[in-house]
Amino acid sequence: MSHPPFSPAQARAARLRIGLTPDHVVSAMAQLGIHLPVQVVTLWESGAVAPSEAELFALANALWCPVPELMGVRPRSLREHRLARQFSAERLALRIGMDVHDYARAENEHRWNGTDRQTLMLADALDLEHGELLRVIGGAGELDGLLRQAVEGRWKQYTASLARLVGAPERRVAQALRTLHAEYGRFNERYMGHLVARSDDARLKEIATERAAWLLALSDRFLHLVGHDARPSP
């Protein structure tokens, strides 16, 4: 497996912030079961080499800082979210009741095949809200597509599918879709109104830009309307 994301500058800054020398760092890591020569800390901070997952976890503990700070990135992928919570792949697989090889395949292939229960447990283990969960497991594309079809056409026929996808009651999903369908309709009414009135191109482009921005945020708006506590049902 490749090395995790790592920021040499952040690691050095974290060490200096609490006044530790490289010797102090390797000593603290040794107490956590990771035994390394002191030169390794310097190599990490210079960017010459990167720590393994186990070394990254131990380094974060030794420096009293969150793992994401040392990663230097905002977690986006399944692996990055796992690392941010200091789970090894084996421990997370055990936590959610999934075969470790199946879990490793999901990370490597960026394709989630877990059951509803495993998905629910994954969200709990990694503390993911539903919008982020969908992005992590690859369901965001399906959500975006269904929502676009719902607001542009007959929204009622998409209620059941969307309720299953986001794990929310059909009643709340229906209310959200009704609201979104009306909002989308108002964009079209404004655009057609200005088109008939032969408004200048600048005004038409302004409305089109507003609608494009609204569509870009459609999934987040929908999840807000149905409630942030929505989770896939086990």
Side-chain angles (χ1 to χ4, degrees):
M1 182 175 287
S2 62
H3 287 282
F6 181 70
S7 170
Q10 290 289 78
R12 185 172 188 275
R15 177 176 64 79
L16 295 176
R17 186 166 59 245
I18 58 175
L20 296 184
T21 66
D23 292 278
H24 292 145
V25 174
V26 295
S27 178
M29 292 179 67
Q31 295 179 34
L32 299 169
I34 302 295
H35 300 273
L36 298 168
V38 68
Q39 294 86 350
V40 170
V41 176
T42 303
L43 291 172
W44 285 342
E45 292 183 359
S46 70
V49 296
S52 66
E53 289 188 7
E55 291 167 347
L56 177 65
F57 297 160
L59 180 61
N61 288 333
L63 297 177
W64 291 79
C65 71
V67 171
E69 181 178 330
L70 297 183
M71 291 167 60
V73 298
R74 177 179 178 272
R76 298 289 294 178
S77 68
L78 177 56
R79 186 191 185 202
E80 289 171 356
H81 277 285
R82 172 177 63 77
L83 292 171
R85 291 289 169 180
Q86 290 193 241
F87 279 106
S88 66
E90 294 79 6
R91 191 161 71 90
L92 182 56
L94 180 63
R95 170 78 172 265
I96 67 176
M98 193 174 193
D99 178 83
V100 65
H101 298 294
D102 290 339
Y103 176 80
R105 189 178 305 113
E107 270 198 9
N108 294 333
E109 297 179 1
H110 304 286
R111 185 174 59 192
W112 180 252
N113 291 315
T115 64
D116 285 346
R117 179 171 177 78
Q118 289 166 343
T119 304
L120 174 62
M121 296 183 73
L122 179 74
D124 288 340
L126 301 183
D127 194 26
L128 297 173
E129 291 190 351
H130 198 74
E132 188 62 25
L133 174 65
L134 286 174
R135 283 185 280 272
V136 168
I137 67 175
E142 182 180 0
L143 176 63
D144 290 341
L146 287 173
L147 286 173
R148 284 290 295 265
Q149 294 175 64
V151 300
E152 292 174 353
R154 299 180 181 273
W155 62 265
K156 290 183 180 180
Q157 69 188 67
Y158 298 96
T159 301
S161 297
L162 284 163
R164 283 194 299 271
L165 182 60
V166 303
E170 287 193 23
R171 176 182 55 81
R172 286 163 61 187
V173 170
Q175 291 172 344
L177 291 180
R178 185 182 293 109
T179 298
L180 294 173
H181 190 271
E183 291 177 359
Y184 184 76
R186 284 194 288 273
F187 277 116
N188 288 339
E189 289 173 4
R190 289 169 56 202
Y191 188 87
M192 292 304 298
H194 283 280
L195 189 63
V196 170
R198 298 185 178 181
S199 300
D200 57 59
D201 288 344
R203 183 53 182 154
L204 293 175
K205 289 179 180 178
E206 180 182 334
I207 298 172
T209 299
E210 289 177 13
R211 184 175 62 177
W214 183 88
L215 286 170
L216 190 62
L218 181 57
S219 293
D220 289 337
R221 172 85 171 121
F222 170 74
L223 291 170
H224 174 75
L225 290 172
V226 299
H228 290 297
D229 59 340
R231 289 287 191 274
S233 302

